Amino acid sequence: MSKIYDKLLILLIFSLSLSRVEGSGKKASAAETVEVVRLAELMRDVLDVYPKSIFQVPVDIQGETSLSSVYTPSDSLWGEGLDEEMVFKYEIKHIQDEHNSYTLRIGKGGQIYSLRGAFGESVPPQGKGNPWNDEVWQFVTVCSKYNGLNAITKPGSVPTEVVDRYKKSPYKNSFFIHNSGAYIPAAPIDSGEITVSFDVMLNEVDPGLMHFTLRDYTNSPPVSFGDVSVGNGAIKCRNKTIAKIENGLWYTIEMRFNLGEKRDGQINVNVKDENGVTQSKLISYADKPFSTLSWMGVFANSDKGKFNVDNLLIKRKRGENNTTIFNKGFEEYNANESFPGAQGVQPTAGSRVFITDKVFASGKHSLEFHDAKRKHGHQPALTIGLSDDSDKELTNLYCPLLGSSISSDNKSIQTVNWGLVPQVKTIHRSPILYYVKTRDVGDGVIEITYVVHNFSALEEVVFDWLNAPWGGTRMTNLPFHYLSSPENELWSREVIKEKKIMNGIDVRKTGGWNLSCASEEPDSPSLALVFGRDRHLESELLKVKEGKPYCQYDNSIYRDWPAHAPEGWRNIRENAFRNYEVAVVIPKFRLAPGTTIWYRSFIVVNEKDRAIELAKSLVDEVDYGLRVFDPTSTPMVPVYIRNGKVFASGNGQPNFELFSKPVPKTMPVFLIENESTGREVLTTDPYLFVPKEKLDYGLPKNHPHENFYSKMAGLSMDENNSNWKRILGYGYVDKPESGDWKEISSRLDRKQFPDVDIWHLDLWVK
């Protein structure tokens, strides 16, 4: 490392140390500054896990790189109500010409959550319930053997009552792990007086049929209630006529009911016409119990005809508190614009949902539904998930960041995160560490290197279905999309659809890259993903055959599909529902306990012709394999203990030392603080301060997976009491035959080292 860089690093971390005590008005002491500097040095050792970067562009066309950890608004349009600052951690800004400059942002979970170029923002706009923890560039690992309910029912006969217990349990059994964050559960609407209202009008000349429903998704199967049909001269609720109607006139429908203690299984339905005349009826739902309002749907229900909907409103009253849960009048939208949440739309088949200004309700725009082509799967619908987040405490949960550093050449950022099972209530433990290095190569080329480690304490937890990466582009900004053929021709969406690439294609049957463009011009602002063509397939399969350690066991797959109707991109807002062109690479790697794999691919930001040229040159640079660290050459990192706290620096000898990297037969040691008490612990179990519930669903003792599931407990990550501070290093599971090794428990007091169990191990340290 250069002396100049050392000075710059010291200045940077010194400024960070000042910021830590800024709120108290105190300046950092010399000891505090030394600690910050030493910690940064240790993090560089811990994060030095990546194979050497080979690909370079000539110095004269590299451009400039600026790295920052200071948040500023990106000017990207995200979902309504989202604040980008909640996810931001780092920014890489490449400064060159307009076509190959970009700003890339890394989130707290280690994910690439924003990538702006001349095309604007390329990452999808996100949803309010799961901001930046799904539709981003990230690595995902799946344990197929224990993933979902099929893992329980497929291996053997399981009694129906056992299956029902799993289905109804709040603890989910999906076993895939994000490199971003967890899904934030919707705050339930399960109490109070609920009022649902909307305006509806059937087209005077060509009337359609409308169906409106509310659902409770906490039941299995979901319960529909509040069903209202409008058509054939009447408004009905549960097949009971509330009012007679005429086509071409507006009617306001209001439903009022109670949830919680005052729930009585009845809905008061009111229909008011344009003259203010109201008709009412009390509808009983005693034979269809529901306890939660979690979903609303509006459906076109006939092959021909039109109707309009306006002023959708849902309110809740609890005591003296009134909350508006959903309120849309559509007046802020443009005519002929698609509305976020519209589904089943296929304009070429006549099925549409869009904003119109031809028909007015109270002088406002309305939402128009056309023709339910149900036999072709194009039933126009508006579906909205509902929750009341006004008093919800948990707003985000990103994969805990356990360390980060800036490279010595000031061109890349390295992070290590503990991957999370995205369901916050789960029966599965994540044993995955995601190391990610994002490097600015120059000329618009971004190199992304993943190093993924499985530290499972159970030998049967193998991850064999990976996404490297899961990602994609924002369709409104990059609407023209292609996949390369083996001859490097551009396959259009039509060809992609014809070849059913949504279901997957062998990467060797492609050119190893895709391309998304702002226009069809040669100089169009563009983005390419370069995923390669299974560079080591033959040699890896030979290792499998010969019984040698291997990474890859089969041909890798590429999948590609638009989440929104491609032909409708001109009429949707930039932050429309699933404004997304998905591109996912599935390398067939086997990630077993105690092993580490790595995978390197590229993103290119440039004008179309240059992006194609660079993508073709990068295909053979995509690389991967096992990563094995030699204990004789892997640096050790010291751990100092003072007054029950862990430090990176100290006087004299450290309390013990750990390997900086996952050498064979070791486990990671995490430093976790109990947020309520301030108590720090050193542990191999990142779930130590996560609430657990013993589960017994009655899985038969002779079931092939009974031994595995019997070890599982219900984990409530949404109630965790943890500050995952950092990864300290790695220690041996078993005592080595030579050397001065001590059990870690002998170097710590009881407060710092809890009782040993199958997850919290007493490792051997130097």
Side-chain angles (χ1 to χ4, degrees):
M1 183 185 307
S2 69
K3 292 182 179 179
I4 294 177
Y5 176 73
D6 276 342
K7 292 179 180 178
L8 290 173
L9 177 63
I10 290 172
L11 286 173
L12 171 64
I13 55 184
F14 182 69
S15 67
L16 291 175
S17 69
L18 289 176
S19 68
R20 289 183 178 182
V21 293
E22 186 177 336
S24 64
K26 298 178 181 179
K27 290 185 178 180
S29 66
E32 288 172 326
T33 303
V34 169
E35 174 66 15
V36 173
V37 172
R38 183 59 184 139
L39 180 57
E41 292 172 346
L42 291 183
M43 278 296 102
R44 286 202 302 273
D45 284 339
V46 169
L47 288 160
D48 184 23
V49 298
Y50 308 96
K52 184 178 179 180
S53 296
I54 304 298
F55 183 79
Q56 304 289 342
V57 301
V59 175
D60 59 334
I61 60 169
Q62 280 185 7
E64 299 178 18
T65 307
S66 173
L67 308 180
S68 176
S69 61
V70 178
Y71 173 76
T72 56
S74 68
D75 297 327
S76 293
L77 181 64
W78 304 108
E80 292 184 21
L82 294 185
D83 182 359
E84 183 187 346
E85 192 169 6
M86 69 191 288
V87 65
F88 174 84
K89 188 63 182 179
Y90 292 110
E91 176 185 270
I92 300 177
K93 186 183 288 290
H94 179 72
I95 306 156
Q96 205 166 352
D97 299 321
E98 181 181 5
H99 60 269
N100 58 6
S101 294
Y102 63 81
T103 301
L104 179 150
R105 293 193 164 191
I106 297 169
K108 293 182 173 71
Q111 72 274 50
I112 295 176
Y113 80 85
S114 174
L115 178 55
R116 292 184 62 88
F119 38 69
E121 178 60 65
S122 68
V123 176
Q126 307 301 305
K128 187 176 180 180
N130 302 306
W132 299 288
N133 62 16
D134 199 341
E135 297 177 357
V136 294
W137 293 104
Q138 65 169 315
F139 205 105
V140 183
T141 52
V142 184
C143 177
S144 299
K145 186 175 182 179
Y146 301 115
N147 183 34
L149 191 58
N150 284 342
I152 299 166
T153 58
K154 188 183 293 184
S157 177
V158 180
T160 302
E161 58 270 23
V162 174
V163 175
D164 287 343
R165 289 185 199 118
Y166 276 102
K167 285 182 177 180
K168 293 179 180 179
S169 171
Y171 301 104
K172 307 306 177 185
N173 46 40
S174 299
F175 203 0
F176 60 96
I177 298 174
H178 275 182
N179 173 209
S180 56
Y183 301 134
I184 306 305
I189 306 171
D190 56 6
S191 63
E193 181 184 78
I194 311 299
T195 301
V196 179
S197 64
F198 58 91
D199 298 336
V200 61
M201 183 190 72
L202 302 185
N203 188 273
E204 186 173 12
V205 177
D206 186 18
L209 297 177
M210 171 192 170
H211 180 76
F212 177 89
T213 187
L214 304 171
R215 285 183 189 166
D216 175 5
Y217 270 101
T218 63
N219 282 278
S220 182
V223 172
S224 293
F225 63 97
D227 294 283
V228 171
S229 61
V230 183
N232 298 320
I235 294 176
K236 298 182 179 182
C237 181
R238 207 183 179 206
N239 293 321
K240 296 180 180 180
T241 299
I242 310 298
K244 298 291 185 180
I245 62 170
E246 297 180 33
N247 297 334
L249 298 179
W250 282 98
Y251 296 87
T252 299
I253 300 173
E254 180 188 83
M255 293 175 283
R256 188 171 292 148
F257 54 92
N258 288 297
L259 293 174
E261 293 181 359
K262 295 184 177 181
R263 184 185 64 175
D264 56 8
Q266 294 184 319
I267 297 180
N268 187 12
V269 185
N270 303 292
V271 176
K272 183 170 66 174
D273 65 19
E274 292 181 350
N275 296 317
V277 177
T278 301
Q279 299 181 65
S280 303
K281 192 163 285 188
L282 195 63
I283 305 296
S284 175
Y285 272 74
D287 61 336
K288 280 192 174 183
F290 58 91
S291 58
T292 301
L293 172 59
S294 51
W295 188 90
M296 170 182 69
V298 182
F299 300 91
N301 222 25
S302 63
D303 289 347
K304 300 287 185 181
K306 308 171 187 177
F307 64 85
N308 289 72
V309 175
D310 202 357
N311 299 322
L312 275 163
L313 177 65
I314 300 178
K315 298 187 297 185
R316 169 160 71 168
K317 182 179 180 180
R318 289 185 297 180
E320 299 300 318
N321 297 323
N322 291 283
T323 304
T324 298
I325 294 168
F326 187 84
N327 186 12
K328 283 297 175 187
F330 312 110
E331 67 274 12
E332 72 271 33
Y333 292 88
N334 299 316
N336 296 315
E337 183 178 344
S338 294
F339 180 71
Q343 298 179 12
V345 180
Q346 182 58 271
T348 56
S351 303
R352 291 193 65 189
V353 181
F354 64 100
I355 309 297
T356 179
D357 60 355
K358 295 177 182 177
V359 184
F360 292 87
S362 305
K364 299 178 180 181
H365 290 185
S366 61
L367 193 64
E368 187 161 300
F369 289 70
H370 278 233
D371 303 339
K373 299 294 183 182
R374 286 169 292 167
K375 61 184 178 181
H376 302 298
H378 303 305
Q379 182 179 18
L382 175 66
T383 59
I384 303 291
L386 301 170
S387 63
D388 182 1
D389 298 330
S390 57
D391 56 1
K392 187 171 71 173
E393 293 184 10
L394 184 66
T395 57
N396 64 79
L397 180 59
Y398 296 113
C399 297
L401 181 66
L402 303 175
S404 61
S405 71
I406 295 172
S407 63
S408 58
D409 62 1
N410 210 37
K411 292 286 187 181
S412 63
I413 289 174
Q414 292 90 231
T415 56
V416 56
N417 291 76
W418 173 42
L420 293 182
V421 176
Q423 289 75 27
V424 292
K425 291 192 180 296
T426 176
I427 65 172
H428 289 302
R429 289 172 164 265
S430 167
I432 295 296
L433 289 175
Y434 289 115
Y435 295 80
V436 186
K437 179 179 180 180
T438 309
R439 180 171 77 102
D440 180 12
V441 180
D443 197 17
V445 177
I446 304 162
E447 177 190 87
I448 304 169
T449 307
Y450 299 100
V451 174
V452 187
H453 180 67
N454 179 357
F455 63 91
S456 175
L458 303 180
E459 292 184 1
E460 58 265 46
V461 178
V462 176
F463 296 86
D464 54 0
W465 185 273
L466 315 179
N467 298 157
W470 169 279
T473 51
R474 189 178 293 209
M475 190 179 296
T476 50
N477 289 347
L478 293 161
F480 298 94
H481 182 73
Y482 309 93
L483 174 63
S484 62
S485 74
E487 296 75 33
N488 285 314
E489 298 172 341
L490 295 180
W491 284 340
S492 65
R493 280 200 187 95
E494 289 72 22
V495 177
I496 292 172
K497 183 177 180 180
E498 177 187 322
K499 292 181 176 292
K500 299 181 179 180
I501 292 172
M502 175 181 179
N503 299 325
I505 185 173
D506 185 336
V507 296
R508 288 200 169 175
K509 294 180 180 179
T510 76
W513 54 275
N514 75 12
L515 185 70
S516 300
C517 310
S519 75
E520 296 179 289
E521 300 302 317
D523 60 352
S524 167
S526 301
L527 184 149
L529 169 66
V530 186
F531 50 85
R533 303 181 71 245
D534 274 349
R535 176 176 178 175
H536 304 300
L537 178 61
E538 287 77 14
S539 60
E540 286 291 308
L541 294 183
L542 183 61
K543 292 176 185 176
V544 175
K545 185 177 180 180
E546 294 177 346
K548 297 178 180 178
Y550 66 91
C551 170
Q552 186 174 11
Y553 64 88
D554 205 348
N555 304 66
S556 298
I557 294 172
Y558 171 82
R559 297 180 66 197
D560 189 308
W561 72 93
H564 200 284
E567 62 271 21
W569 66 268
R570 288 183 177 86
N571 294 323
I572 64 173
R573 290 199 160 196
E574 194 179 346
N575 65 340
F577 174 75
R578 298 221 79 191
N579 177 8
Y580 192 20
E581 188 96 39
V582 184
V584 56
V585 183
I586 304 168
K588 295 296 187 71
F589 298 166
R590 184 177 187 270
L591 181 59
T595 61
T596 309
I597 62 169
W598 70 284
Y599 181 85
R600 174 174 290 152
S601 58
F602 300 87
I603 294 174
V604 180
V605 175
N606 220 302
E607 56 187 8
K608 182 179 178 182
D609 283 357
R610 178 61 175 158
I612 292 173
E613 179 185 357
L614 285 166
K616 290 192 289 188
S617 71
L618 286 164
V619 168
D620 290 338
E621 302 294 335
V622 174
D623 210 347
Y624 55 88
L626 288 177
R627 196 85 174 110
V628 181
F629 300 98
D630 185 349
T632 63
S633 58
T634 297
M636 306 291 286
V637 289
V639 177
Y640 294 87
I641 310 291
R642 296 196 300 273
N643 300 320
K645 298 291 183 180
V646 174
F647 293 88
S649 60
N651 298 320
Q653 293 295 314
N655 291 63
F656 57 88
E657 291 182 321
L658 297 166
F659 287 110
S660 58
K661 301 168 186 56
V663 304
K665 300 180 181 180
T666 64
M667 290 281 280
V669 178
F670 304 105
L671 176 61
I672 308 176
E673 180 184 56
N674 185 306
E675 290 192 323
S676 297
T677 65
R679 172 193 172 200
E680 283 188 354
V681 297
L682 286 77
T683 179
T684 60
D685 180 11
Y687 291 95
L688 199 66
F689 295 136
V690 174
K692 304 169 186 67
E693 180 182 352
K694 186 172 179 57
L695 303 174
D696 184 5
Y697 297 137
L699 195 66
K701 294 295 183 182
N702 62 353
H703 190 279
H705 296 338
E706 193 278 335
N707 184 53
F708 173 81
Y709 284 102
S710 67
K711 297 184 178 73
M712 300 299 108
L715 301 164
S716 296
M717 286 292 290
D718 53 337
E719 301 173 29
N720 82 81
N721 197 27
S722 310
N723 175 13
W724 294 276
K725 300 186 78 169
R726 62 186 173 101
I727 182 172
L728 297 177
Y730 294 80
Y732 277 120
V733 175
D734 299 313
K735 184 179 181 180
E737 294 181 359
S738 61
D740 183 19
W741 300 91
K742 301 290 185 182
E743 291 175 300
I744 195 171
S745 60
S746 68
R747 305 300 175 95
L748 301 168
D749 62 32
R750 296 286 295 173
K751 289 183 178 180
Q752 284 188 303
F753 195 80
D755 292 337
V756 172
D757 59 28
I758 62 172
W759 314 113
H760 172 66
L761 307 180
D762 198 356
L763 303 181
W764 293 86
V765 298
K766 201 117 185 180

